[in-house]
Amino acid sequence: SKTTHAIPFYNILWAELSEFEISIRYAKPSGTNVVRVSTINYPIEKPYHPRAIAWLEHLLDRAYGESQRKKRIKLLVNPFGGQGRAQKWYLRDIEPILAAARCDVDLQKTQYQGHAVEIAEKLDVDAFDVVAACSGDGLPHEVFNGLGKKPDARRALRRIAVVQLPCGTGNAMSWNLNGTESPSLAALAIVKGIKTPLDLISITQGDRRTLSFLSQAVGIIAEADLGTEHLRWLGNVRFTYGVLGHLLRKTVWPCDLAVKVEVPTKAEVRDHYRRALNDRSLPDNHRDGPSAQEAANLPELRYGTINDDLPSDWTLVPYPQLGNFWCGNMAFMAARNMPFAGALPNDGCMDLVTINGDISRLKAISCIAGVETGKFFDMSHVNYRKVSGYRIIPRNQKDGYISIDGERVPFEPFQAEVHRGLGTVLSKSGHVYEAPGVVAKKGEVGS
């Protein structure tokens, strides 16, 4: 009897014709959150080869859609990622899928912190389509900053898609763009990924300028993340442990804060998000080829640096009871951790959350559950805005933690400014994150 195979187009990796048969390679589900390469072969006689060739081309068109076939990938493996298991996960879960999809892979192991910055800075951007980081979120941060150091930084950041194959303890980038932290499912998502512009944020601190793609934090989130590095063996539990400790002590981090607000209320954020769902237009810098000026160094800073006078339409406001300052460019910060429900890849805004440190312990603890259940955005004690820039100046504290994309930077004032669509990633949808998002409630108005 004949056997029928039902394979989603999304799972088809490659199909080709040999002298005697058609061969179809696809990603076959194997257990929970795992796919493995499988093959189906169909015999075909030579007189039918022309029709088979046309059919195969149509099949691959359906299978890849907007996505580029046979991607050329510079693949960086952090041998210390995932508690030393990144290389094992690559060989077992990722490499077979990339090979079956006929991707051209150039693999290189990073040797030390900052090595990916050097690799990306020297990369021939015309030789590759993608830089893939087999790591946590630290390596993509380095890659963006390495591309940002190139003489033609803007062209490089537009030309090369930076992606994450989740092999670390923090895999936020993959959750947002691939919808998973499974290495094999993420590999499939990247094979089928659609080029997507990504906002990047310039951070100026002292005389330094760096790029951020994920988040910036001062207060309880930074302390709970960076202050528990010695507990990494606990996995994600270490973060909850750190948060609870500060919540019970009602710790505050006084600061002065100035922001350039673009969308001031939660109702307007919902409306902004709804409009973005229906608008797939590209940012101006991704529509046409860049001019010589556009291909050059990073964009000029509209709001200046941390060392310049405050922009005339900004006001520095004291926050003596700040408990948490958290600014995000993506929705998820970890598995089941979605503090920035309204975040979009390229709306030219950062999503800013501030919470006072003197709220009741019950309300503070409810924030932890809210982040995981999707109720965080609607909590009355959560101040949520979309901004295009800000300046934060810590007060009355000699030392502490400031987190930029999960990396520690000096505890001193810094300024941030978003650049719409400066970077490039691959996503499943091509224009939104793999997150529930926020939409306007019935009867709600933007006020």
Side-chain angles (χ1 to χ4, degrees):
S1 62
K2 293 183 178 180
T3 302
T4 299
H5 295 273
I7 305 170
F9 287 115
Y10 179 81
N11 287 49
I12 292 176
L13 301 168
W14 199 250
E16 59 191 4
L17 174 68
S18 65
E19 187 174 359
F20 300 108
E21 63 184 9
I22 288 173
S23 179
I24 299 174
R25 291 176 177 82
Y26 67 101
K28 182 179 181 179
S30 174
T32 305
N33 294 325
V34 176
V35 290
R36 299 284 184 232
V37 175
S38 189
T39 304
I40 298 177
N41 296 311
Y42 295 103
I44 186 165
E45 298 176 4
K46 272 196 172 182
Y48 297 101
H49 278 203
R51 290 174 62 184
I53 291 170
W55 182 84
L56 287 171
E57 184 61 28
H58 182 64
L59 175 64
L60 289 174
D61 280 344
R62 290 291 301 272
Y64 277 84
E66 298 177 56
S67 180
Q68 177 188 348
R69 304 181 200 173
K70 293 185 175 181
K71 296 178 177 71
R72 301 170 300 166
I73 302 174
K74 178 69 175 181
L75 198 143
L76 306 179
V77 176
N78 176 5
F80 307 105
Q83 299 177 337
R85 291 173 290 185
Q87 185 169 330
K88 173 186 174 182
W89 290 337
Y90 170 72
L91 293 172
R92 183 191 67 191
D93 299 323
I94 297 168
E95 191 275 338
I97 290 174
L98 300 183
R102 298 294 190 264
C103 293
D104 184 2
V105 177
D106 179 29
L107 185 147
Q108 185 171 354
K109 294 180 185 178
T110 56
Q111 304 297 323
Y112 45 84
Q113 188 172 9
H115 191 194
V117 176
E118 299 171 8
I119 294 170
E121 185 178 4
K122 297 173 183 175
L123 189 74
D124 179 358
V125 298
D126 292 313
F128 299 97
D129 307 302
V130 176
V131 175
C134 285
S135 66
D137 296 308
L139 230 56
H141 172 84
E142 291 189 13
V143 172
F144 279 123
N145 278 279
L147 295 174
K149 290 177 178 290
K150 296 180 76 67
D152 58 346
R154 276 185 272 186
R155 176 177 181 270
L157 287 163
R158 171 181 160 156
R159 174 76 185 80
I160 293 287
V162 180
V163 303
Q164 180 188 52
L165 291 158
C167 294
T169 52
N171 301 306
M173 188 181 198
S174 185
W175 276 112
N176 284 284
L177 299 169
N178 306 324
T180 183
E181 64 178 357
S182 158
S184 61
L185 287 175
L188 175 59
I190 286 163
V191 164
K192 295 302 180 76
I194 301 168
K195 260 194 168 183
T196 307
L198 179 72
D199 295 343
L200 294 178
I201 294 96
S202 279
I203 305 293
T204 60
Q205 189 179 49
D207 59 356
R208 304 174 300 280
R209 178 182 180 181
T210 57
L211 294 175
S212 168
F213 79 95
L214 182 61
S215 66
Q216 310 92 49
V218 181
I220 194 169
I221 297 301
E223 300 280 337
D225 183 14
L226 300 175
T228 59
E229 283 286 329
H230 61 293
L231 299 174
R232 270 191 175 268
W233 56 275
L234 287 174
N236 288 333
V237 175
R238 72 180 176 93
F239 182 78
T240 304
Y241 170 83
V243 169
L244 284 173
H246 287 292
L247 288 181
L248 294 174
R249 292 192 296 271
K250 286 194 170 184
T251 313
V252 296
W253 289 266
C255 73
D256 293 340
L257 176 64
V259 298
K260 175 64 173 176
V261 178
E262 301 295 339
V263 186
T265 70
K266 291 179 182 178
E268 289 172 297
V269 169
R270 284 195 179 93
D271 192 51
H272 175 92
Y273 190 92
R274 178 185 55 79
R275 289 196 304 271
L277 289 179
N278 300 318
D279 181 10
R280 299 198 60 165
S281 62
L282 294 173
D284 291 341
N285 58 333
H286 276 257
R287 287 176 181 164
D288 304 304
S291 64
Q293 181 180 2
E294 290 172 334
N297 295 327
L298 294 175
E300 292 185 6
L301 295 169
R302 293 169 294 163
Y303 306 137
T305 73
I306 187 65
N307 301 312
D308 295 321
D309 292 336
L310 199 68
S312 59
D313 57 345
W314 294 21
T315 302
L316 203 61
V317 177
Y319 278 77
Q321 301 295 324
L322 183 73
N324 186 32
F325 173 95
W326 205 1
C327 199
N329 193 43
M330 292 185 171
F332 287 103
M333 293 295 110
R336 299 177 300 281
N337 183 320
M338 190 185 66
F340 304 109
L344 292 158
N346 52 71
D347 65 345
C349 292
M350 301 172 274
D351 287 38
L352 174 61
V353 166
T354 53
I355 304 174
N356 285 339
D358 57 355
I359 61 174
S360 72
R361 290 186 178 92
L362 185 60
K363 282 185 176 180
I365 292 172
S366 73
C367 288
I368 300 176
V371 164
E372 295 187 355
T373 62
K375 297 179 180 179
F376 182 75
F377 179 87
D378 287 311
M379 290 180 169
S380 60
H381 47 279
V382 173
N383 187 0
Y384 196 112
R385 296 166 281 176
K386 281 186 173 283
V387 304
S388 58
Y390 66 83
R391 177 179 296 187
I392 185 166
I393 303 172
R395 297 293 189 198
N396 307 327
Q397 189 177 346
K398 289 184 179 180
D399 197 15
Y401 293 97
I402 294 176
S403 170
I404 306 294
D405 295 351
E407 304 297 315
R408 187 178 184 181
V409 300
F411 192 74
E412 59 187 48
F414 69 94
Q415 184 161 308
E417 174 181 321
V418 68
H419 307 289
R420 188 180 182 204
L422 177 61
T424 305
V425 292
L426 298 178
S427 72
K428 294 178 78 170
S429 71
H431 76 298
V432 294
Y433 293 127
E434 296 299 303
V438 291
V439 293
K441 291 182 176 179
K442 187 175 182 180
E444 187 175 43
V445 294
S447 60

